[in-house]
Amino acid sequence: ALAGVGEKVSELTERAMRGELDFNQSLFARVDCLKGIEVDALASLKARLPVNPGFAKTMRILQANGWRTVIASGGFTYFANYLKETFELSEAFSNTLGINGSTLNGTVEGDIVNGEMKRSILLEQQRIHAIKEQQTVAIGDGANDLLMMEAAQLGVAYKAKPKVKAQADASIQYCGFEGLLYCLKQ
């Protein structure tokens, strides 16, 4: 919306989340729309970043019980790192916006955090931290989360697109993020 291309970016995002567009192509097209935006403008977005109801409480409960809490996002480091710091998450992996001076240059730098990468992140975190397979959980809402959710012992759809809900082990649709805690109860 800051660049006057909010509707176009939203449409591309929505189509990718439904699995109608290749994630990488959609990401490149969306980021290209941001070319020329001042990096400082991202700060105003960060201050208004919506957080799902129940997310903070759920993270505190999981962390208090020894869980590693990791974001693997198709979004951007600027926002994922903010969430990591704000909620004291274990790790955050996301895409890096290209910057030229003080403006976005319309590119993505480094590896793309797409569906395959999200799956790899989950498996790598499991390996590095000696997490038993039966203790892995992945939560997602879009098509680019499906491989990660499939690799986890429990794949949870959170207010997700129909394709994701259909393939998930559990679905949270009518409550906040704390619904995850009920999915974990034995």
Side-chain angles (χ1 to χ4, degrees):
L2 287 175
V5 293
E7 286 183 32
K8 180 179 179 182
V9 170
S10 291
E11 178 194 345
L12 289 167
T13 302
E14 189 68 23
R15 290 185 64 204
M17 288 181 70
R18 288 192 308 255
E20 297 171 4
L21 289 177
D22 173 73
F23 179 81
N24 288 12
Q25 291 174 332
S26 167
L27 177 67
F28 296 142
R30 288 179 281 150
V31 171
D32 187 56
C33 293
L34 305 177
K35 188 175 185 175
I37 292 180
E38 293 287 328
V39 174
D40 290 344
L42 298 178
S44 68
L45 290 177
K46 184 170 69 173
R48 299 183 317 226
L49 192 64
V51 176
N52 291 311
F55 181 79
K57 182 178 183 179
T58 302
M59 292 302 103
R60 283 193 306 271
I61 291 169
L62 292 175
Q63 292 160 351
N65 285 283
W67 284 72
R68 287 192 54 76
T69 51
V70 178
I71 292 177
S73 172
F76 306 109
T77 54
Y78 190 85
F79 304 107
N81 289 344
Y82 170 74
L83 293 173
K84 178 184 181 254
E85 293 165 14
T86 302
F87 298 103
E88 300 178 3
L89 305 177
S90 306
E91 301 274 352
F93 299 89
S94 55
N95 298 301
T96 303
L97 292 167
I99 298 172
N100 196 7
S102 63
T103 61
L104 300 178
N105 66 17
T107 65
V108 178
E109 296 179 349
D111 293 332
I112 303 300
V113 180
N114 56 20
E116 292 84 12
M117 178 63 79
K118 288 181 178 191
R119 179 184 181 280
S120 294
I121 290 166
L122 179 126
L123 295 173
E124 185 71 3
Q125 289 290 305
Q126 178 187 344
R127 185 188 65 75
I128 290 171
H129 300 286
I131 299 168
K132 295 178 184 173
E133 182 181 355
Q134 60 269 32
Q135 293 178 312
T136 57
V137 178
I139 304 156
D141 62 352
N144 70 333
D145 296 313
L146 287 171
L147 293 174
M148 173 183 67
M149 291 168 61
E150 182 181 290
Q153 180 67 32
L154 177 64
V156 180
Y158 180 74
K159 300 191 179 190
K161 302 301 174 209
K163 181 176 183 175
V164 179
K165 285 195 296 191
Q167 295 181 42
D169 299 315
S171 180
I172 302 168
Q173 191 66 30
Y174 301 107
C175 66
F177 208 84
E178 70 281 0
L180 173 63
L181 300 172
Y182 296 97
C183 294
L184 298 175
K185 286 194 99 166
Q186 293 187 15

